[in-house]
Structures are given as C-alpha cells and as structure tokens.
Amino acid sequence: MSKSGLFKSSIGRKLAMALSALFLMIFLLQHLFINLTAVFSEDAFNELSHFMGTNPLVQFVAQPILIFAVVFHFVMGMYLEMKNRAARPIAYKKVNGAANSTWMSRNMAISGLVILAFLVLHFIDFWVPEINHKYIAMAPEDPTRYYGELLHKFSNPARVVAYIVAFGLLALHLLHGFGSAFQSMGQNNKYIDGLKKFGVFYSIVVPLGFILIAIALYVTGLK
C-alpha cells in the first residue's frame, strides 16, 4: 500500500491521530514546566515567557504547527468517532456498553469537546491578547509583564474552576488515549503494559500539575 493509500485508510487515520496526540503530550510537558516556574520564581517565568513570546522559531514555526496539531487532532477524533458509530450495528445500542468498555473509552468525544472548549478559552485568555499586544497595538515589549498578566487572569475564581474541570477531564481523556495511541502505532506487544503504566502516571501527574498551579496562582493573587 502506498503512503497516500495508507493515510486514506482507517489504520492510517488512526496512526495520524496517534502521532498528533503524542506531539500534543510533549507540548503539555513543556507548557507545564514553564507554568511551574511561575509558582517558584517570577523572574524565571518572565524570562521563559519573554523568550517564547519573541523567538521567531517559536512564533512562526512551532506555534503554527501546534495550532494545526490541535485542530487536526480534534477534527480527526470527531471524524473517527462518527465513523465508528456509523459502523456499529443497531443491536449494539441495546448492549450494556459499561460491561465491555470503560466510561472514558465510551465518552472520548464528549471529553474531547469540553477540552476543545477549554482550549478556546485559553486562546482567548492568552494567545489573542498576545497577538493584539505585539502585532495590532504594536505596544512596546516589557519583558517583566508576563507574571503580572498571568496572576491577573487567575484572580478570577470562575476561571480557576474552569481550568480545574478542564484538566480533570483531560486526565480522563489521556487515561484512555495514551494506550490507544501506542496501539494505533503498532506497539501492542510485550512493552504495551509498561507504556500503559507510564501513561497512567502521565495522565494523572501532568493534569494535576496544571490544577495545582492554577490554585497556587489564585492563592498568591489573594495576598
């Protein structure tokens, strides 16, 4: 089968979906590291944020790739979900799905849509103001502004609750998706159990890290 034929097939689409998922998981780790510095060092967070916000490779190469990966992952996920539902026989609906699958696997589309809504909020909170600040308002760059802006965003308890709910659902989404990604890439072998265990660790620790950061920033803003 040619490469173009592979990516037109169900297996090829699942492989592309898995690769985009792994790319986004790596991005989450990088994002977590930068946000974590805000809890321990205002200066370190400002320096890292200034670098990420002004580096041409990040702005004009990595950022468009990230946006494409996010859109592709969720669009492909919804497409595969619709294909799977269409392929199921009507009698399947009468079967108790909980007896054969987990809640996470049956509701990946729902958790995915909620996470996508959160990402839209996140873009409105941070990405859109950055674009406006640098390319529309053409405001002079202040390398010390990032920490204060972040603290201001998390002074709103409703926003903190939204982040907590979203990252809780992200944990559930990852718990199922991590193992599925490796299976789609053909790693359903003797190593899959170890990868799944690492996936459980990642799926809990990374979202929990973001939740604790949001709470810590909110508490810091109250002082």
Side-chain angles (χ1 to χ4, degrees), residues 50-96:
H50 179 67
F51 171 80
M52 297 295 289
T54 57
N55 185 281
L57 285 176
V58 174
Q59 290 293 295
F60 303 113
V61 178
Q63 191 166 257
I65 292 174
L66 173 63
I67 294 172
F68 172 80
V70 169
V71 174
F72 174 85
H73 183 75
F74 284 99
V75 170
M76 183 60 71
M78 294 306 298
Y79 173 78
L80 290 174
E81 177 67 16
M82 288 188 293
K83 292 283 285 186
N84 289 339
R85 288 181 181 274
R88 292 169 186 162
I90 296 176
Y92 179 84
K93 297 180 181 179
K94 299 178 181 180
V95 178
N96 180 11

Side-chain angles (χ1 to χ4, degrees), residues 39 151 154-157 159-165 167 207-223:
V39 177
L151 217 57
F154 283 98
S155 64
N156 185 340
R159 182 175 281 106
V160 174
V161 170
Y163 271 65
I164 291 172
V165 172
F167 278 108
L208 181 60
F210 280 106
I211 289 172
L212 293 177
I213 290 170
I215 294 172
L217 291 173
Y218 174 71
V219 172
T220 299
L222 293 176
K223 296 177 181 178

